[in-house]
Amino acid sequence: MFIATDKSILSNLASEYDLDTLDQKIVECYLNLSTLQRKVIKDYLRDLVDAVLSDENYEAYRADYIKENASMTAARSGHAGNLDELRELYDSANQDDK
């Protein structure tokens, strides 16, 4: 019977998602954190996102970013239908962790 090791799982992820060595190290280190340490990182990221979204210059930055990256979005068929769902998930997760 084959038992996948952490290294083989990470190697498969690296192949499937074209992860470079830094990507792999980030994933590996994150997975080795304790539940509490991962919660601290997620809380920090939520606070960071909240700060960015509340910045008075955010809308201008966002418009410039969209304009600069429109071709990348078009390459992915321009599908943005799940943005509202992602916002809801973020908001509900933020409330669940408090």
Side-chain angles (χ1 to χ4, degrees), residues 79-91:
H79 180 66
N82 65 343
L83 289 179
D84 289 332
E85 180 184 355
L86 290 173
R87 283 187 198 101
E88 288 175 21
L89 284 171
Y90 169 78
D91 290 341

Side-chain angles (χ1 to χ4, degrees), residues 35-98:
T35 302
L36 180 60
Q37 290 170 318
R38 289 193 307 268
K39 183 182 181 319
V40 168
I41 289 175
K42 290 183 286 187
D43 289 345
Y44 169 75
L45 290 173
R46 284 187 187 102
D47 290 345
L48 179 63
V49 169
D50 288 343
V52 169
L53 293 177
S54 66
D55 185 280
E56 62 189 36
N57 298 313
Y58 171 73
E59 289 300 324
Y61 166 78
R62 183 172 179 236
D64 289 343
Y65 179 85
I66 289 170
K67 197 181 316 179
E68 291 171 12
N69 294 283
S71 63
M72 290 180 5
T73 302
R76 293 186 300 236
S77 302
H79 180 66
N82 65 343
L83 289 179
D84 289 332
E85 180 184 355
L86 290 173
R87 283 187 198 101
E88 288 175 21
L89 284 171
Y90 169 78
D91 290 341
S92 67
N94 197 18
Q95 294 303 316
D96 292 344
D97 288 342
K98 287 188 180 183

